[in-house]
Structure formats: structure tokens, C-alpha cells
Amino acid sequence: MEADINDQTVSSDHFTPKVEMASGLSKEITLLRIPDLRVISGEGEKRLYTRDQADVPSVVKDTLIQYRPDAVVQPSTAEATVALLQYARGRGLAVIPRGSGSSPFGGSIPVNGGIVLDAGNLNKVLDVDVKNKCVKVQGGCRWADVDHELSKHGLRIISCPSSRFSTVAGWICGGGLGVGSLGGGHLSKNIISIKMATGSGLIELMPPQEEFKAVFGSEGQLGIIVEATLKVKSIDSASKPHFLLFKDLDGAVDVAERLRRLSALPEDLIYFSPGKLRYANKLLHGEHFGEGHALLVTSSDQASEDAILGLLSSTGITEEKEYQARLLMHDRYFPMKLRRLGPGMMGAEVLAPMPKLKDILHRAEDLCQEFDLDPLLEVHVMQGQESLLLCYYLTDQCNDSLYLLDAAKSMIVTSALIEIGAKPYSLGVWNNSFVDHWPKEEMRRLRRAKDKLDPSGMMNPGKYFALKGRMFGAAGMLFSPRGSGMALGLMAKLHMPLSPVLRTASKVTRKLVPSEGRDMLEEMVNQCAMCGACVSVCPAYALTKDERVTARGKLLMGRDLAEGRDITKESAHRAFLCMRCKACEQVCQSKLDLIPAYDELESRLEKLFGKDAAEIEHFIRIAELSPKYDEMVARGLVLGAPKNGMGGDRRV
């Protein structure tokens, strides 16, 4: 049964799509009529909140956790967020915070149902203080949008995650290490204050409060970050990237060690393995980068530029061409676009101590090659004694057996790296096996903060301190240091006799599941980076707040259709709400040809469910008048705008 949202009448200047009638917990929350709170009722839309960037093999998820939320809500104000949390606390319900869903470890998915709180509509830049060089934003702001607004004032952010379309709150809770963290330091050094919604109301956290420090890396255990005030800096034309190429890994790490100790620190310093450069050439369709171990070092101002040039001159190191450096500098923000070559990616993320970085990198490369993997290694060098290591490799996500094997390999690699001194960067659900390697003082600090800010334990429960799930907590027993942790450690030690078995198993699964003749939609969804970039620029999403109208949502619907899963009529009709403006193609990490996929999806859906031509026409007319649409046109993200005669006429 379908009705208009909140039983409102559709007017000529407002678009309200038809929705399924709310039931169960969704209906209960709807009846509260909390202002500025959208309650998601449709099962098809709620399904989008059962995964994050990484899609864990279904045999693991289905067996161990209850990942389907009982309800999903989208607040657009701090007051609505507090009201929902107070209701949840009174009812004893779990609340799982979610930003753009770009983490690969399950931190934003339920393990025992509950309410997923999508903070993506808390997305406003509230104030830019040019004089004091700071910006106040809502927690759901994407980093790219913050930087775009700052650029109007000659300012820029100091550091950000490699996924610029993740949210400010998401990166705070996820760890706060990434691009720019050498010159700028940990994100906690660049945040002046945080405003957080809890079950008791709004609180403000500032350094040197212990609770302020505990928020970073907390993965939503304490509350919902609704606002943050960040330090920013002026745009400096002297900032410049430098691309250095070395024949051996040890030589590259030695120079990285010297660069990170310069008196005027570079803004950013990243190591790329030979595999990373080879695949970058494939994606760019040319031999842009030579074979070797690379460093990309970026100066922050004239002082650091002079320091870098002085070091290169004194050591006789010749840098590569500037255009190559700029290609890599741009590419660092799109690490997941390699998925399209799999289709799919798998890997490990760990914090590696700089004194042990050489050993850890050698171990990662050796293990991957033993397991028949082609590793793509990336190291972000930080202030202090740690670096962030990303060890990725391609997989074939259309092949369930191979994908499961490669997932197991990633866990063994992670265990082996931890054994020689690394530690997990994020826990979520899938890294819970390594929770005993999390720094004890950080864990104690988080526990004290949780006891104070979330005494009822409603925020993202069943993770971090004690993983739970289906089958009387079997997930907690299996994915625990005493369960899978010990088993993975043993497999890491026995990697020599184990590797032939894993290689043989991989070869067999590739032969049994050929890549030819695959469904177009199923293959494309596995090529998708699932980064959420398309969500932030979609005019249809700005109107509906429904992710099923976005590229990510439609591709996931296409996979459900290809695999024979049930699709509701509401979901089918939502897929038609598209202007063909091509903004999603502009920002797509994987550079997918999305418009042909939409045509194919709509063709299949129309045969099964028909289409509502009147609703589509009304949607396009209203969308053309929306401020978000005009903003996308002004930013050059819209290539097929009907209103502007750009060849985007929508077939109805």
C-alpha cells in the first residue's frame, strides 16, 4: 500500500514521492512526529543500510549478525537528533550512527538490529570565520563540500580522508588519519570543539577534556556528532607535489624517513608500491609512471618547499616530471576506483610503526605473492612514530567462493602484520579478532567516556568492547582474539605450507566460475566503489533524501534484480526518478558509464512494475527548480541538464 509521506497532499511546487506505509518500529517513530526527522519505512530503502563500503561475503553476514535495521531515520537538525536518542533510550533501543557508509569494517551496520541513524542530512556549512581561520559545520558535511565552501574565501582544510565524500563526523569517529596528516597532524589537533547529541541532550566537547580525545576512533560509541568547528588554513600557491621513484623499497623508506624529519614539514607524504603504479597506468590508459617504489611528497608552503628541494639537492635525488606528481596527487583521493578492474577489492589497513615499516612492507608483499595476490601498497606517513598502511588487492566479487577465499587471506595478512608490530586502524565488526591489540589506554579512555556519556549502552552496541550477534553471540565467540584471532595467528605462522593450498583453491574457483557472460548490472555494482560520492551531488537525492534514486542505490537494486531478490513496487518506481544530469558520472571514483546501466535497469523494472509517467514528469519539473540542481550546474558537475539544453532530456 502506498501513500504520500506524512499523508501530505502533493502541490505543484513540491515533490513528495509515494512511499510504503510505515509498520512496526518505523510506524511507532513516525507517530512521534518529531520535527525535522525523516523516517524510512520502505523495506527496499532500509536494505541499503545493511552494508558499508565493503560487502562481506553473505555466508558470513547471514550466519553471524542481524544486520537488517528495525528502522532507519534521517535527522536534519540537532534537536531532532536529540529527540530520537531520548526516545531510543527510553525504549531501550540500539542506535547505530552512519555517515556516508564509506568504512570497510562494518562499523555503521547493526549486529542485532536497532535504529540506524543516517546523519548525512546534517550537511550544512554553518559559518566560515576568515579572520580566525576556522569553519563550523554540521557533522554530516562531506569533506569535498567543506573545501568547496572554504575555497570561496581563499581557505582550505588542513587534512582530510582519502575519500573526500565521507563525512566530517564519520572521519572523526573513524580515526582521523589521512591526507595531510604529516604537516597537519592528527585530526584531533585541528578541531576546536565538537557538539554531540546524546540521550541526555546536547553537550560540547573541547580539548583537553578526556571525552573529547575519546571521540576520535570511537566508531559511534558515544553519541552523534552534530557539529564541529575546524581549524583551516590559507590556500598557498607555493604548495607543490613532488614524485620520486626508487629501485628498491628500502631506499624509498629511507628517504621518507628523512623527509618526515625536515624542520619545515611537508604537508603530505605517501609511499606507493610498484603494483599501485602499474594499476594506475592501466586506469589512465598509458605508461605514465615507471616501474619502482614511489614517494609523493607535497609541500605546504614556501618554507617546506625549500626544505624538500634542499634535501633532494643534497642527496642527488632527481624527481620525476611535475605532471606525473599532479596525476598521483589527484589520484590519492580516489583509492577505490581500482575496484572496476576486479571487479572488487579486498585488503587490510593497519598502523605501522616507522622503525618497523620496512619489515612490515616486505612481509605484506611476500605474503600476498605467496597467496597468489597482486598487492597494491600505500603508506600515509604521519607525525610521530606511526604510519597508516593500506594493503589492497583485486578480487572478483562476482565469484562468491573466490571472494570468500580472498577475505580470509586479508585476515591472515592483517594477523601477520600485527604479529611483527602493526596494530589495527579500525575495528568495526570484521576486525574484532584483533581487539586485544588495540592500545589499552585508548580502550580504557573510551570505556570511561562511554560510562559517562552513554551509560545505558545504546550507542552502536555489540561492537568494540564485546562483539555480539545471532546464535547466542556466536559472532563474538568466532570473531574474537581467542577464536579467529588465535586461528589467524596460527595460519600466519604456517603460511608456507598453507599458501599452496590457498593458491590451488583460488585457481579452481576461477575455473568453476568463468567471467564471461555475466549480467551487466551485477558486474557494475561490484565495480562501484560504494564511496557515496554520487549521493552528495544528486539533485534527486536532495529532493527525496532517498538513496534509491542515486547511482549507488540503483546499482544495488540492479544486483538484487539480477540475483532474483524481491523488489517492491515503491523501490522500482523510485529508480525512475532520475534526470540524466550525469553529476554522478562526474564524481564517480570508478568512472563507470552509469547512464546505459540506468536505461537497462529501468527497462527491466518497467516490464515487471510499469512506470508512473506523471510522477516522473512532476519530479523533473520540480527538480529543475531546486537550488541543489542549480548549484550542481554552477559547479560544473551537471553535463546533461534538460533546463540548460545540455542533452539530458529525460525519456518518460
Side-chain angles (χ1 to χ4, degrees):
M1 186 174 184
E2 295 181 337
D4 295 330
I5 296 175
N6 297 329
D7 300 319
Q8 295 175 351
T9 301
V10 177
S11 64
S12 60
D13 62 348
H14 180 78
F15 181 77
T16 306
K18 299 185 296 294
V19 299
E20 295 174 16
M21 295 296 289
S23 61
L25 184 58
S26 296
K27 182 176 182 180
E28 186 176 324
I29 299 173
T30 300
L31 292 175
L32 296 174
R33 296 194 178 278
I34 298 173
D36 304 313
L37 183 77
R38 177 175 180 255
V39 183
I40 292 173
S41 57
E43 289 301 316
E45 189 175 1
K46 284 195 287 188
R47 186 181 296 171
L48 298 176
Y49 293 85
T50 63
R51 60 164 291 169
D52 55 15
Q53 189 174 69
D55 197 10
V56 172
S58 57
V59 66
V60 177
K61 287 176 65 178
D62 292 341
T63 304
L64 296 176
I65 64 173
Q66 176 53 47
Y67 53 86
R68 285 187 177 276
D70 299 303
V72 180
V73 297
Q74 294 175 321
S76 55
T77 63
E79 292 74 19
T81 308
V82 170
L84 186 280
L85 293 182
Q86 289 176 336
Y87 159 77
R89 185 182 62 173
R91 288 271 279 105
L93 298 170
V95 176
I96 300 91
R98 182 183 176 97
S100 62
S102 59
S103 168
F105 298 113
S108 62
I109 62 174
V111 294
N112 284 109
I115 303 170
V116 170
L117 191 149
D118 177 357
N121 290 324
L122 291 161
N123 59 0
K124 295 182 178 62
V125 176
L126 300 173
D127 181 57
V128 177
D129 186 339
V130 177
K131 180 180 178 181
N132 295 306
K133 292 186 180 178
C134 62
V135 60
K136 182 184 294 184
V137 302
Q138 289 185 308
C141 254
R142 269 76 170 179
W143 288 96
D145 293 333
V146 178
D147 213 23
H148 174 72
E149 189 63 31
L150 289 173
S151 68
K152 300 175 184 177
H153 304 276
L155 299 171
R156 54 170 297 198
I157 53 182
I158 293 174
S159 63
C160 67
S162 57
S163 172
R164 285 167 56 84
F165 295 96
S166 61
T167 63
V168 171
W171 196 40
I172 292 173
C173 292
L177 293 174
V179 177
S181 291
L182 177 56
H186 189 272
L187 180 61
S188 60
K189 295 182 178 180
N190 301 310
I191 293 193
I192 298 169
S193 65
I194 291 170
K195 188 175 288 186
M196 178 177 285
T198 72
S200 301
L202 284 174
I203 61 170
E204 187 168 23
L205 301 175
M206 304 174 68
Q209 288 174 281
E210 183 180 54
E211 293 82 12
F212 174 85
K213 194 170 184 180
V215 171
F216 296 88
S218 63
E219 300 188 27
Q221 291 289 325
L222 304 178
I224 306 295
I225 297 173
V226 295
E227 194 176 293
T229 302
L230 317 172
K231 297 176 185 177
V232 298
K233 63 182 181 180
S234 299
I235 296 173
D236 195 322
S237 58
S239 176
K240 180 182 174 183
H242 302 267
F243 173 40
L244 314 176
L245 200 58
F246 301 86
K247 293 181 179 180
D248 62 278
L249 186 153
D250 290 2
V253 174
D254 286 340
V255 173
E257 183 65 32
R258 296 187 66 175
L259 285 166
R260 79 180 189 91
R261 294 181 180 276
L262 290 174
S263 56
L265 283 174
E267 175 183 288
D268 194 43
L269 175 58
I270 307 177
Y271 162 83
F272 296 113
S273 70
K276 177 79 174 181
L277 297 182
R278 285 197 304 273
Y279 280 103
N281 282 333
K282 286 185 180 180
L283 290 171
L284 293 169
H285 306 290
E287 294 300 318
H288 296 280
F289 309 109
E291 183 75 18
H293 298 262
L295 293 178
L296 177 68
V297 56
T298 306
S299 56
S300 56
D301 52 25
Q302 191 60 57
S304 67
E305 175 69 11
D306 292 342
I308 292 169
L309 293 176
L311 176 61
L312 298 183
S313 176
S314 65
T315 55
I317 297 172
T318 303
E319 63 179 297
E320 304 297 306
K321 296 177 181 177
E322 184 176 339
Y323 93 90
Q324 296 171 308
R326 295 198 177 275
L327 279 177
L328 276 180
M329 184 173 71
H330 176 267
D331 198 61
R332 64 186 173 172
Y333 291 117
F334 304 98
M336 299 303 293
K337 68 182 181 181
L338 287 156
R339 283 180 64 106
R340 69 176 299 168
L341 300 178
M345 284 180 69
M346 190 67 73
E349 292 186 12
V350 296
L351 291 172
M354 285 301 296
K356 296 183 179 180
L357 182 58
K358 290 180 185 178
D359 293 339
I360 289 172
L361 285 171
H362 281 299
R363 186 71 178 274
E365 282 202 325
D366 291 345
L367 275 176
C368 285
Q369 289 168 4
E370 283 183 29
F371 293 162
D372 194 26
L373 303 170
D374 191 4
L376 301 93
L377 304 178
E378 184 175 317
V379 179
H380 292 256
V381 178
M382 312 296 171
Q383 286 184 19
Q385 290 298 305
E386 287 187 325
S387 58
L388 177 60
L389 166 61
L390 313 178
C391 175
Y392 294 137
Y393 50 85
L394 298 180
T395 184
D396 185 351
Q397 200 166 333
C398 295
N399 184 331
D400 290 339
S401 298
L402 181 64
Y403 191 53
L404 183 60
L405 269 171
D406 285 347
K409 293 173 186 177
S410 76
M411 299 291 282
I412 298 171
V413 170
T414 300
S415 181
L417 300 185
I418 287 175
E419 182 185 325
I420 58 173
K423 65 181 183 182
Y425 175 56
S426 182
L427 291 176
V429 175
W430 314 119
N431 268 351
N432 192 74
S433 305
F434 314 116
V435 68
D436 58 329
H437 293 280
W438 199 261
K440 298 296 187 293
E441 178 51 38
E442 289 184 27
M443 188 67 80
R444 286 192 289 267
R445 180 171 57 237
L446 180 58
R447 170 57 76 185
R448 291 192 295 268
K450 189 168 182 68
D451 289 343
K452 183 175 181 178
L453 302 180
D454 182 33
S456 64
M458 71 173 180
M459 296 304 307
N460 214 3
K463 303 174 188 175
Y464 222 113
F465 303 107
L467 181 63
K468 297 180 181 177
R470 294 179 186 267
M471 300 170 60
F472 307 102
M477 291 182 281
L478 181 61
F479 283 92
S480 70
R482 291 182 177 273
S484 59
M486 291 182 66
L488 291 166
L490 181 61
M491 286 188 278
K493 288 183 174 67
L494 300 176
H495 61 92
M496 291 297 286
L498 181 63
S499 57
V501 177
L502 292 176
R503 285 200 304 269
T504 300
S506 297
K507 290 178 182 178
V508 170
T509 55
R510 288 191 186 99
K511 288 182 179 179
L512 291 176
V513 184
S515 59
E516 296 79 15
R518 287 176 175 170
D519 186 281
M520 165 195 179
L521 296 177
E522 184 178 9
E523 185 158 36
M524 188 170 284
V525 73
N526 292 322
Q527 293 174 330
C528 173
M530 293 292 151
C531 62
C534 56
V535 178
S536 65
V537 302
C538 179
Y541 180 80
L543 277 178
T544 65
K545 307 304 181 187
D546 187 333
E547 200 174 306
R548 288 173 295 182
V549 304
T550 69
R552 182 165 71 176
K554 285 189 281 194
L555 290 178
L556 288 169
M557 191 187 305
R559 184 172 70 176
D560 287 345
L561 192 65
E563 294 179 351
R565 295 196 180 111
D566 291 337
I567 294 176
T568 65
K569 185 177 181 180
E570 176 204 274
S571 290
H573 281 195
R574 200 69 84 250
F576 288 97
L577 303 183
C578 175
M579 301 180 69
R580 301 301 197 268
C581 72
K582 302 182 182 178
C584 51
E585 286 191 344
Q586 284 282 83
V587 300
C588 180
Q589 276 205 46
S590 300
K591 301 302 178 187
L592 300 177
D593 295 324
L594 293 167
I595 303 304
Y598 299 163
D599 291 339
E600 176 64 22
L601 175 62
E602 290 185 13
S603 175
R604 297 186 195 183
L605 290 174
E606 186 175 0
K607 291 176 183 177
L608 294 171
F609 300 98
K611 68 178 179 181
D612 188 338
E615 181 180 59
I616 298 170
E617 289 179 356
H618 183 55
F619 157 76
I620 293 173
R621 179 158 41 85
I622 300 303
E624 286 184 328
L625 301 174
S626 71
K628 183 68 174 180
Y629 182 76
D630 287 337
E631 178 193 342
M632 292 298 102
V633 173
R635 290 176 62 177
L637 291 171
V638 170
L639 296 181
K643 182 173 67 172
N644 292 276
M646 300 167 73
D649 293 337
R650 178 70 171 87
R651 179 180 62 83
V652 178

